[in-house]
């Protein structure tokens, strides 16, 4: 397979979509990876497998409607394989296999059959000290935007997924691009104060627009840089509650077509006012695990 990803919005041709099949029992609080999942485990509202399968099949149907080739992970019994973006990502013609939480290593094996079709020199495994997940990595033409956390207490945050070693490694891998990193706000306990990944508080859409949540960024000047880069008139600013419900985690099929959650009323109205075609799906159960549409899709080929 010849991979090709330059940005987040060019016409999508092939993608890996995660799966909720054989998702396993509801985890314990100790087994959870993020504060939002913990919240729902304690409340007894953690999503049921059947509901999540239904939500993901609706996305698969939208992708197929637009003639996108959809790959799915091989099923591992009683294992969460929803968030395909975490475990690998593509930039240019290279696939980078992420160094993710040790408990999730088997997820990588389930999509191995896809990336084994890629030329060996274009399959990149970063050194062990480079921690990175695909939700923190956004190719945007001449730029690679990366969410990170560089505090001395990095190891204390299960929600800190991408470190500066990975930022440096990606700059070395893609010297022709400008790698721009952003310090993200982290919390192990409060999902409204936690930007798990960069795509939880920012996402470029169309050709020149973006969704942003100011409080997701630890450094005000880095947030302001993005506002200036896209232009204030092109930025849709989401509230803390909208960030919590994952409004920035939608997914572009093209520069004109976006898959979005049906409950994102304010956002979807704005998108349509900007001329986008919005394909609405229900994804509110999967959102309870602090991930949404971008998290569960891993693009392989765009025009």
């Amino acid at each position: 397979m010849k991979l090709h990803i330059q940005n987040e919005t060019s016409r999508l041709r092939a993608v890996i979509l995660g799966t909720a099949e054989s998702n396993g029992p509801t985890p314990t609080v100790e087994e959870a990876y993020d504060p939002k999942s913990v919240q729902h485990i304690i409340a007894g509202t953690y999503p049921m497998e059947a509901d999540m399968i239904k939500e993901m099949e609706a996305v698969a149907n939208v992708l197929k409607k637009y003639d996108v080739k959809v790959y799915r992970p091989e099923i591992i019994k009683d294992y969460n394989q929803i968030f395909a973006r975490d475990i690998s990502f593509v930039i240019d013609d290279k696939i980078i296999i992420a160094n993710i939480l040790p408990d999730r290593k088997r997820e990588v094996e389930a999509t191995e059959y896809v990336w084994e079709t890629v030329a060996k020199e274009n399959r990149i495994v970063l050194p062990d000290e480079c921690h990175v997940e695909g939700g923190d990595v956004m190719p945007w033409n001449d730029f690679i935007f990366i969410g990170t956390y560089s505090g001395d207490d990095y190891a204390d945050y299960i929600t800190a997924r991408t470190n500066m070693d990975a930022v440096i490694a990606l700059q070395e891998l893609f010297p022709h691009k400008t790698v721009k990193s952003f310090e993200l706000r982290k919390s192990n306990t409060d999902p409204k104060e936690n930007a798990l990944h960069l795509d939880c508080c920012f996402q470029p859409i169309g050709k020149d627009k973006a969704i942003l949540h100011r409080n997701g960024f630890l450094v005000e000047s880095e947030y302001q840089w993005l506002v200036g880069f896209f232009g204030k008139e092109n930025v849709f600013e989401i509230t803390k509650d909208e960030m919590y419900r994952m409004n920035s985690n939608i997914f572009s099929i093209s520069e004109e077509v976006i898959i979005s959650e049906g409950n994102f009323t304010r956002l979807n109205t704005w998108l349509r006012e900007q001329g986008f075609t919005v394909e609405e799906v229900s994804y509110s159960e999967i959102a309870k695990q602090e991930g949404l549409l971008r998290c569960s899709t891993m693009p392989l080929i765009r025009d």
Side-chain angles (χ1 to χ4, degrees), residues 156-217:
D156 298 335
Y157 285 104
I158 196 168
T159 54
R161 303 292 175 81
T162 299
N163 63 12
M164 287 305 294
D165 286 325
V167 174
I168 293 163
L170 288 171
Q171 181 66 85
E172 290 171 353
L173 265 176
F174 301 99
H176 57 292
K177 292 184 183 281
T178 300
V179 173
K180 177 89 175 152
S181 64
F182 301 88
E183 294 278 336
L184 302 181
R185 190 174 304 281
K186 301 293 179 181
S187 171
N188 285 341
T189 55
D190 185 354
K192 292 189 178 181
E193 292 291 333
N194 178 52
L196 188 64
H197 292 128
L198 183 58
D199 60 16
C200 295
C201 57
F202 160 63
Q203 185 164 185
I205 50 175
K207 292 180 180 175
D208 59 358
K209 295 178 173 55
I211 302 165
L212 273 171
H213 176 60
R214 186 176 196 160
N215 192 56
F217 295 85

Side-chain angles (χ1 to χ4, degrees), residues 39-278:
Q39 201 176 60
H40 285 287
I41 292 165
I42 292 169
T45 53
Y46 193 80
M48 304 299 291
E49 181 181 300
D51 294 331
M52 294 191 291
I53 289 173
K54 189 176 171 186
E55 288 186 346
M56 298 198 82
E57 290 317 302
V59 173
N61 289 336
V62 173
L63 292 166
K64 287 167 186 170
K65 172 183 168 182
Y66 286 90
D67 298 319
V68 176
K69 172 70 175 168
V70 180
Y71 297 89
R72 308 300 292 270
E74 294 172 338
I75 306 297
I76 301 172
K77 186 172 166 51
D78 293 337
Y79 205 69
N80 189 328
Q81 297 176 266
I82 291 169
F83 298 121
R85 182 80 65 152
D86 289 353
I87 59 175
S88 58
F89 54 92
V90 175
I91 301 174
D92 291 351
D93 59 354
K94 292 177 171 52
I95 184 164
I96 293 93
I97 314 303
N99 287 330
I100 60 169
L101 296 169
D103 291 350
R104 299 181 63 187
K105 282 285 187 194
R106 289 174 68 203
E107 282 182 72
V108 176
E109 297 164 16
T111 55
E112 205 169 316
Y113 81 96
V114 179
W115 52 264
E116 276 187 342
T117 68
V118 176
K120 203 164 186 181
E121 65 270 19
N122 288 332
R123 288 183 247 152
I124 310 295
V125 180
L126 296 176
D128 286 347
E129 67 273 13
C130 299
H131 301 174
V132 62
E133 290 187 352
D136 276 324
V137 181
M138 289 190 184
W140 191 246
N141 305 314
D142 294 333
F143 287 85
I144 303 172
F145 299 136
I146 304 181
T148 188
Y149 182 74
S150 64
D152 292 339
D153 53 354
Y154 176 94
D156 298 335
Y157 285 104
I158 196 168
T159 54
R161 303 292 175 81
T162 299
N163 63 12
M164 287 305 294
D165 286 325
V167 174
I168 293 163
L170 288 171
Q171 181 66 85
E172 290 171 353
L173 265 176
F174 301 99
H176 57 292
K177 292 184 183 281
T178 300
V179 173
K180 177 89 175 152
S181 64
F182 301 88
E183 294 278 336
L184 302 181
R185 190 174 304 281
K186 301 293 179 181
S187 171
N188 285 341
T189 55
D190 185 354
K192 292 189 178 181
E193 292 291 333
N194 178 52
L196 188 64
H197 292 128
L198 183 58
D199 60 16
C200 295
C201 57
F202 160 63
Q203 185 164 185
I205 50 175
K207 292 180 180 175
D208 59 358
K209 295 178 173 55
I211 302 165
L212 273 171
H213 176 60
R214 186 176 196 160
N215 192 56
F217 295 85
L218 265 183
V219 181
E220 173 70 15
S221 61
E222 292 179 356
Y223 161 80
Q224 292 295 347
W225 186 92
L226 281 170
V227 173
F229 181 82
F230 288 95
K232 195 167 186 180
E233 69 284 0
N234 291 323
V235 168
F236 185 84
E237 180 72 39
I238 58 176
T239 66
K240 191 174 283 192
D241 281 343
E242 287 170 333
M243 189 278 293
Y244 171 76
R245 293 196 300 273
M246 310 296 295
N247 274 232
S248 64
N249 208 274
I250 57 179
F251 183 64
S252 293
I253 292 177
S254 72
E255 291 172 345
E256 297 82 29
V257 181
I258 291 172
I259 309 179
S260 182
E261 219 289 331
N263 292 316
F264 296 169
T265 312
R266 194 172 77 92
L267 172 64
N268 294 344
T269 300
W270 181 82
L271 290 171
R272 290 186 174 109
E273 286 170 354
Q274 305 306 308
F276 291 101
T277 297
V278 181

